[in-house]
Amino acid sequence: MKVLTKQRQIANIAQRHREVALTSLNKYLDHSWLLEAFQRVRKTSAPGVDGERVEDYQRKLQSNLENLLARAKSGRYHAPPVKRVHIPKGKGDETRPIGLPTTEDKILQRAVAMLLEPVYEEEFYDFSFGFRPKRSAHQALRHIQNNIYEKNTRWILDLDIRRFFDRLDHGHLRKFLRQRVNDGVLTRLIDKWLKAGVMEEGQLSYEQSGTPQGGVISPLLANIYLHEVLDDWFVTEVQPRLSGRSFMARFADDAVIGFENEADARRVLEVLVKRMERFSLQLHPEKTRLIYFERPPRHGQPTGKAESFDFLGFTHFWRRSRKGNNVLGHKTAKDRLTRSLNDLRQWCRKNRHLKISEQRERLSCKLQGHYAYFGVSGNFRCLSSYHWEVGRIWRKWLDRRSRRSKRSKGMDWERFNRLLAGPLALPKPRIFHSLHPAAQRELLI
C-alpha cells in the first residue's frame, strides 16, 4: 500500500474521531514508510555529529532501514545529540541557532512527521500557513490582503514571540500531543528527540526547553504548540467576545492579527501577554506592535496617518493605484533586501576567481530564487532595484580581479555593459505571483 493511501486512511480516522487520542498509528510505520521518508530527505543536507552523509547511508540502505525500524519499534533507538550551528538572522550580529540531526535521525523524524501530518491537518486552521503541505507564504499574503479589504481592518497587531524555538515548554507540548496522539512508539520517539543533547563547538549540553531549529520534526511540533496556545484560543475564546470583525494569519512563529475596532485590538494585546506567559512564552516588547492601518480615503489622509508593517519579508502599506484608489501594496522589506545584498557581496568577493561564465550561472540562480519569492504584483520596482544592485556589485569585484593584472584595463561600465548585452546577461526581473483575487494566471513582466 502506498504512503499517500495510508495517509488518507489516517486522515479519515482522525476526522471520524476528533475527540479521541489515536493510539495505534505506529502500525503504518514499516519498511516502505521509512523508504519514502528517506526519499524525502534532502540528499545534499549537512551531516550531523557522526559525520555520516546521506550518500554514505544509502550504500547499505536496505539493512540500515530494517535495523532502524526494529530499534524504533522496540524502544532501543537512542536519539543522538544535535549538531548546532549559527546563521545570521538579520540586523547586527544577531544569529539564529540551527540544529543538524544525523542522517538516521532525519529519516526517522521525517517518518514520524509523515504520520502526524494527516492527523493535525484535520485540526489546524486555514489561517496557519507555515510548514504545512500545499501551503505557502504567498497564500498567507493573499489571506492578509483579502481579509484587510473584506473586514474593514483598521488596526494590525504585529506579533513577535521572543526566541520561540528556545522557549517551547516540553511539558506543555507533551500534554498537547497526548490530546490527539497517544501512541507509545511515537510519543517515546518525540520525547527522546526533546531530551537529546546539543553539540556545539565540542561541548555537549542538554536543554530543558525548546526544540532546535533545523530538525525535521521541529516545525510540526511548533505548529502543534502554537495551534493550542494561540490559534484555537483566538478562534474559540477571543473572536466570540470581540465587538468588531477580526482575522489572523500565522506562519510558524510569526503572526499578525487584524481588527476592525481599536478597543478590541488593545484588549487582545493585553490578554495575549498573559496568555503567552502562561505557556512559558514572551512577546518581544519592542518588535510586537499595534499599528494603525486604516485604508485612507480616496482624497487625502485621515487624522491618524496609516503606518506600515513587515511580515514574511514584505513591507505592507497603502499606496495609490493608477486609477487613484488606495490599494494594499507589498514591497521587499528593507532588512531582507540589505541582508540579501550583503550575502551576495560576500559571495562575489570569495568567488571572483571563478570563470565569468560560471559566476554568471550561479548569480542567475540567486536572482531567479529572489524573483521566485519576492516577485509579487506591485513589487516590480524593488525587483528592478535588486537586479541593478546585483550587476553593480558583480562589476565591482570583476574590476578588482581584473586590475590585479598590469595588462588589464579593468572592468569598467562600458565593458561590463557589453558583457551583459551578450549571452552572459543576468535574468531580468519577473513577477511570478499575483495577489489580486481576480487574476487567474501568472503575470509576466
Side-chain angles (χ1 to χ4, degrees):
M1 189 182 298
K2 294 183 178 180
V3 168
L4 183 58
T5 304
K6 294 179 181 178
Q7 287 184 317
R8 287 172 179 166
Q9 289 183 355
I10 296 173
N12 290 334
I13 294 172
Q15 193 174 32
R16 291 198 306 268
H17 305 283
R18 288 186 177 276
E19 305 300 324
V20 180
L22 306 181
T23 59
S24 57
L25 290 177
N26 79 87
K27 69 180 182 182
Y28 296 97
L29 185 63
D30 54 19
H31 185 274
S32 63
W33 194 277
L34 284 182
L35 182 60
E36 177 64 24
F38 171 80
Q39 298 297 335
R40 298 187 186 187
V41 172
R42 189 162 55 90
K43 301 304 181 285
T44 57
S45 58
V49 293
D50 59 356
E52 184 179 42
R53 298 184 177 276
V54 177
E55 58 186 21
D56 300 327
Y57 193 88
Q58 191 172 8
R59 292 192 181 100
K60 296 182 179 180
L61 184 60
Q62 183 78 10
S63 59
N64 284 339
L65 292 182
E66 290 176 357
N67 182 269
L68 176 60
L69 180 62
R71 286 183 287 132
K73 288 287 188 86
S74 65
R76 292 183 289 111
Y77 180 80
H78 296 285
V82 175
K83 181 181 178 181
R84 175 176 286 175
V85 297
H86 292 265
I87 62 173
K89 187 175 181 180
K91 299 178 181 179
D93 299 328
E94 193 174 2
T95 62
R96 174 182 283 111
I98 296 294
L100 300 176
T102 62
T103 297
E104 195 170 61
D105 227 13
K106 292 172 186 173
I107 298 170
L108 193 54
Q109 286 190 28
R110 176 68 66 188
V112 173
M114 288 160 53
L115 287 169
L116 296 180
E117 275 179 358
V119 177
Y120 284 99
E121 281 301 305
E122 298 297 322
E123 300 290 318
F124 294 156
Y125 291 101
D126 289 339
F127 57 75
S128 171
F129 295 92
F131 305 107
R132 292 180 59 189
K134 299 180 181 180
R135 289 180 173 264
S136 68
H138 299 100
Q139 290 176 333
L141 297 177
R142 292 188 189 98
H143 175 79
I144 291 173
Q145 177 164 283
N146 294 341
N147 277 276
I148 285 177
Y149 286 141
E150 294 172 3
K151 297 182 177 176
N152 193 27
T153 300
R154 295 187 177 95
W155 294 86
I156 293 289
L157 181 54
D158 184 8
L159 301 180
D160 187 284
I161 304 175
R162 174 181 278 180
R163 297 175 59 196
F164 167 72
F165 285 91
D166 296 331
R167 293 175 177 268
L168 185 148
D169 184 82
H170 293 174
H172 288 306
L173 177 60
R174 293 187 186 99
K175 179 182 176 181
F176 297 153
L177 278 168
R178 284 176 169 79
Q179 290 174 0
R180 287 300 281 135
V181 177
N182 201 17
D183 185 302
V185 172
L186 301 187
T187 56
R188 183 169 58 234
L189 285 171
I190 292 173
D191 202 46
K192 289 181 178 181
W193 287 321
L194 292 176
K195 294 179 179 178
V198 174
M199 183 71 71
E200 186 173 2
E201 297 181 352
Q203 298 295 320
L204 180 61
S205 61
Y206 294 92
E207 308 291 340
Q208 300 301 314
S209 62
T211 175
Q213 297 183 61
V216 179
I217 197 71
S218 295
L220 179 56
L221 297 180
N223 272 336
I224 293 171
Y225 199 88
L226 285 177
H227 170 78
E228 296 290 340
V229 174
L230 184 60
D231 301 357
D232 193 59
W233 169 77
F234 180 74
V235 171
T236 59
E237 298 187 34
V238 174
Q239 283 189 313
R241 293 178 170 85
L242 299 180
S243 59
R245 291 173 291 181
S246 63
F247 76 91
M248 178 189 288
R250 183 175 66 80
F251 196 97
D253 59 330
D254 294 326
V256 293
I257 307 177
F259 300 90
E260 187 176 14
N261 296 334
E262 180 183 2
D264 289 339
R266 296 195 179 280
R267 188 152 52 99
V268 170
L269 177 57
E270 182 180 352
V271 176
L272 188 57
V273 172
K274 301 175 182 178
R275 173 76 178 178
M276 289 293 173
E277 290 177 351
R278 177 184 170 188
F279 293 97
S280 305
L281 300 177
Q282 181 183 13
L283 294 179
H284 197 292
E286 297 176 0
K287 296 181 180 179
T288 298
R289 301 188 304 149
L290 182 58
I291 301 161
Y292 175 67
F293 202 71
E294 182 179 11
R295 186 179 189 177
R298 185 178 178 87
H299 301 289
Q301 290 283 358
T303 305
K305 187 176 180 180
E307 302 177 68
S308 63
F309 67 95
D310 290 353
F311 186 64
L312 297 178
F314 291 89
T315 297
H316 306 265
F317 63 102
W318 291 108
R319 66 177 180 85
R320 292 276 190 180
S321 70
R322 292 178 180 177
K323 295 182 179 180
N325 297 318
N326 285 297
V327 297
L328 190 60
H330 317 271
K331 64 181 180 180
T332 309
K334 186 177 180 180
D335 62 335
R336 291 291 294 271
L337 185 62
T338 301
R339 188 198 318 171
S340 179
L341 290 174
N342 285 339
D343 292 342
L344 192 132
R345 287 188 186 93
Q346 293 298 319
W347 186 91
C348 287
R349 181 180 67 84
K350 294 178 181 179
N351 295 276
R352 62 184 185 273
H353 62 283
L354 298 176
K355 293 181 180 179
I356 292 181
S357 59
E358 188 174 348
Q359 290 187 46
R360 184 265 175 195
E361 183 178 353
R362 297 194 186 182
L363 286 174
S364 295
C365 291
K366 294 178 183 292
L367 278 167
Q368 294 286 18
H370 186 88
Y371 300 156
Y373 184 78
F374 290 102
V376 304
S377 50
N379 196 35
F380 190 77
R381 181 177 296 179
C382 286
L383 297 185
S384 299
S385 176
Y386 183 79
H387 176 269
W388 187 88
E389 286 289 345
V390 170
R392 185 183 66 82
I393 293 168
W394 190 26
R395 187 211 67 84
K396 170 186 173 181
W397 287 105
L398 288 178
D399 182 58
R400 291 196 177 188
R401 181 181 78 164
S402 301
R403 290 186 181 277
R404 295 179 65 180
S405 172
K406 294 182 179 180
R407 296 182 180 180
S408 176
K409 297 181 181 179
M411 182 65 71
D412 56 22
W413 275 105
E414 183 179 354
R415 182 185 173 193
F416 184 67
N417 287 332
R418 287 200 305 270
L419 181 146
L420 292 184
L424 295 179
L426 294 173
K428 296 294 180 64
R430 177 183 174 187
I431 298 298
F432 283 86
H433 309 279
S434 172
L435 301 183
H436 300 295
Q440 299 296 324
R441 62 182 180 84
E442 288 185 346
L443 297 180
L444 305 181
I445 298 181

